[in-house]
Amino acid sequence: MLALGVAAQAAGTLVVTAPALLIPHLHAQGTTLAQAGLLAAAPTAGMVLTLIAWGAVTDRTGERVVIAGGLVLTTLAVSGAWAVGDDPVLLGVAFLLAGMTSASTNAASGRVVVGWFPKERRGLAMGIRQMSQPLGVTLAAVTVPQLAEGDGVRAALVLPVVLCAVLAVLCAVGIVDPPRPARAAARTGEAADPVPTANPYRSTGFLWRIHAVSVLLVVPQFTLSTYGLVWLVGLGWSTPAAGLLVGAAQFVGAVGRILVGVWSDRVASRVGPLRIVALSAAVVMAVLALVDVTHLPAAAVVLVIATSVTVADNGLAYTSVAEAAGPTWSGRALGAQNTGQFIAASAVGPGIGALVGLVGFAGSFLLVAALPVLALPLVPRADRSHD
């Protein structure tokens, strides 16, 4: 279940990330940086429209149908993007639809992991599951820029189409919905433990605070995944070399998510490590600004470290939301969690692109560094869980 959840989410991430890595190709063809950033934001904007709805469907029908069916729809949407080629308007529409359909894997794959792993091992399991995002970005970074530069947009979209199609079949066959308390009790004839059904957003502000923290922390993450390649090319790197470094940085970040998950299991807390990660994100973004100003030769090392730090919060926050929401609300809560993040992520493409045009990369990195600082007082002091 964990392997299929990781693979499904990685395929969705590949689809969502690919347009951002087409920016150098589109910019070379005359598209402005802000316009290319808008196209890159189309998939995340599509996800915002459907994440909560997919979560509600998952709560009602189960994980297998949502993941497999969503991947089928994603395959069709990316095939549409392949068919329209370089037309920016139609390409934007196709990417919007691809984002709407790929959102199915987000909440549903997280629920698979939460449902099949006990709390004392869930941080590790969710850390592995959260590898899917940097792994998807890694796969995109080492394939999309090179294929686009050599053979155009269509060549860069072949892998997302094939991968989503194959995983749709594998998930339909291999995923088993995790047992829920009511279902398990019905099979054994025992009385089910009380399962909270009340709206968790009304009883406490915990979920709202985690959502707000995640929105602030996702901006540094998407700033680097969207414009890290462009920044390196501006420093004199070739596009293929920069793509490989961005991919390597995402892979290191994927390993970091596992370590952070293990850390949270050992200290029996999600919010404590989350607070430290937020502070670290502010520091590394400020260091990136310093590197850009001083032209230090350590740009590659700093980018790898910064990428690793800025993706480390996702698994902590995601697990915390699922545990606080409980089994009857986790699909919708995880959908809301991702919705807030992707609203912010959708603004990163055009917003940071325009900001770079005004104040340069150093000024942009420094302004982004302020957001994790704002997140620190919002991190709750103690965890909340229905387990």
Side-chain angles (χ1 to χ4, degrees):
M1 300 307 106
L2 181 56
L4 288 171
V6 169
Q9 181 64 57
T13 301
L14 170 62
V15 169
V16 172
T17 306
L21 296 168
L22 291 172
I23 290 178
H25 172 74
L26 296 171
H27 192 45
Q29 291 186 326
T31 305
T32 67
L33 197 58
Q35 290 172 334
L38 187 62
L39 184 63
T44 51
M47 295 183 77
V48 167
L49 299 176
T50 58
L51 275 164
I52 295 178
W54 280 120
V57 173
T58 306
D59 285 336
R60 184 175 296 272
T61 65
E63 293 79 2
R64 183 176 68 89
V65 171
V66 170
I67 294 175
L71 285 171
V72 170
L73 295 176
T74 303
T75 302
L76 296 175
V78 182
S79 297
W82 179 89
V84 300
D86 292 333
D87 186 301
V89 176
L90 294 179
L91 200 58
V93 172
F95 283 145
L96 180 72
L97 293 174
M100 293 173 68
T101 56
S102 66
S104 60
T105 62
N106 284 64
S109 63
R111 278 189 55 125
V112 167
V113 175
V114 171
W116 280 113
F117 285 84
K119 184 177 180 180
E120 62 271 15
R121 290 192 291 135
R122 196 174 291 152
L124 169 60
M126 191 63 81
I128 295 173
R129 183 265 178 190
Q130 290 299 106
M131 284 181 65
S132 57
Q133 195 272 342
L135 286 176
V137 175
T138 298
L139 186 58
V142 299
T143 59
V144 171
Q146 293 85 342
L147 292 172
E149 186 175 23
D151 299 298
V153 172
R154 284 185 172 176
L157 296 179
V158 171
L159 179 61
V161 171
V162 173
L163 191 61
C164 288
V166 170
L167 283 170
V169 176
L170 293 178
C171 290
V173 174
I175 286 182
V176 177
D177 291 345
R180 301 186 189 184
R183 297 176 186 171
R187 285 196 299 268
T188 61
E190 299 174 357
D193 292 331
V195 179
T197 58
N199 188 336
Y201 289 95
R202 295 177 180 174
S203 59
T204 175
F206 182 90
L207 288 173
W208 292 109
R209 293 178 70 172
I210 295 294
H211 292 336
V213 169
S214 297
V215 166
L216 292 170
L217 295 183
V218 84
V219 176
Q221 175 188 334
F222 271 80
T223 296
L224 296 184
S225 65
T226 303
Y227 287 105
L229 179 74
V230 180
W231 181 60
L232 289 171
V233 171
L235 293 178
W237 288 60
S238 69
T239 298
L244 289 173
L245 181 65
V246 170
Q250 291 292 330
F251 182 78
V252 173
V255 176
R257 289 186 178 194
I258 297 177
L259 298 178
V260 169
V262 173
W263 175 25
S264 73
D265 283 341
R266 293 199 173 178
V267 300
S269 173
R270 315 298 180 201
V271 296
L274 182 60
R275 188 175 295 107
I276 296 173
V277 168
L279 179 60
S280 302
V283 172
V284 295
M285 292 305 299
V287 172
L288 271 178
L290 178 63
V291 169
D292 187 74
V293 169
T294 59
H295 300 288
L296 291 173
V301 175
V302 175
L303 181 64
V304 170
I305 295 173
T307 300
S308 301
V309 170
T310 56
V311 302
D313 65 282
N314 285 47
L316 297 171
Y318 206 79
T319 308
S320 184
V321 166
E323 291 176 343
T328 60
W329 268 85
S330 60
R332 282 162 284 185
L334 292 172
Q337 166 77 0
N338 283 319
T339 296
Q341 288 183 301
F342 282 112
I343 287 175
S346 297
V348 166
I352 298 299
L355 190 61
V356 169
L358 291 174
V359 299
F361 274 109
S364 300
F365 289 156
L366 199 58
L367 289 172
V368 170
L371 300 181
V373 175
L374 296 176
L376 283 171
L378 296 176
V379 179
R381 293 184 178 275
D383 293 277
R384 182 178 177 84
S385 176
H386 287 300
D387 291 299

